Amino acid sequence: MTRRCTFKTVEAIGAALPDVEVTTTWGKPTLKVRGKMFVCIASHSSAEPDTLVVMMDFQDRDALIEEAPDVYYLKEHYQNYPCVLVRLSRVGKDALHDLVVGAHRFISAKTHRKAGGSSRRGGRGR
């Protein structure tokens, strides 16, 4: 049987990614990229214990919940945020790796877009 994933597992995955800092949000362990949270332990009382909040787009979130509702879920508090709740006790290490890397990519792309272009239209990539 495989070992249960913990936030230490999340930290180890995050350590291999660029610009990651381990910090806290609302008193809970968090990984941030350039100051923006991309994964953290859920702090809202509606979430189950040992739940990870993973940032991602709404379509991906909905697909994960539909595919594996025993692992991925959502509570009303989190409904309007681009994230999914993950039961650390039920997620596999490979899936967790993909989630953390994907969340890092998702938030990094958002911060690059904000920092990169001053114009919303008319610009051309080189």
Side-chain angles (χ1 to χ4, degrees):
M1 183 161 210
T2 60
R3 282 188 6 208
R4 183 174 169 259
C5 293
T6 66
F7 198 79
K8 288 290 182 197
T9 314
V10 174
E11 283 184 39
I13 296 165
L17 301 170
D19 303 317
V20 171
E21 73 173 303
V22 179
T23 184
T24 59
T25 302
W26 300 103
K28 299 292 184 175
T30 302
L31 295 185
K32 292 183 178 180
V33 56
R34 290 184 295 286
K36 299 292 182 180
M37 188 275 293
F38 66 99
V39 294
C40 68
I41 293 295
S43 60
H44 194 266
S45 61
S46 65
E48 297 172 15
D50 295 321
T51 289
L52 190 67
V53 178
V54 179
M55 303 305 289
M56 66 178 53
D57 70 39
F58 293 104
Q59 278 186 307
D60 290 342
R61 170 184 80 186
D62 295 344
L64 284 174
I65 293 169
E66 185 175 325
E67 181 180 306
D70 58 320
V71 178
Y72 308 103
Y73 70 105
L74 197 59
K75 291 292 187 179
E76 186 177 348
H77 175 78
Y78 296 93
Q79 189 83 31
N80 296 324
Y81 296 99
C83 67
V84 69
L85 301 176
V86 181
R87 293 176 177 99
L88 281 173
S89 63
R90 296 189 181 171
V91 69
K93 191 169 182 179
D94 289 342
L96 183 61
H97 180 272
D98 292 346
L99 288 165
V100 173
V101 171
H104 180 271
R105 189 176 304 126
F106 177 69
I107 294 301
S108 291
K110 289 177 80 167
T111 59
H112 273 115
R113 280 194 301 266
K114 285 183 181 177
S118 60
S119 173
R120 291 185 182 199
R121 56 187 182 128
R124 290 183 179 208
R126 293 183 192 218

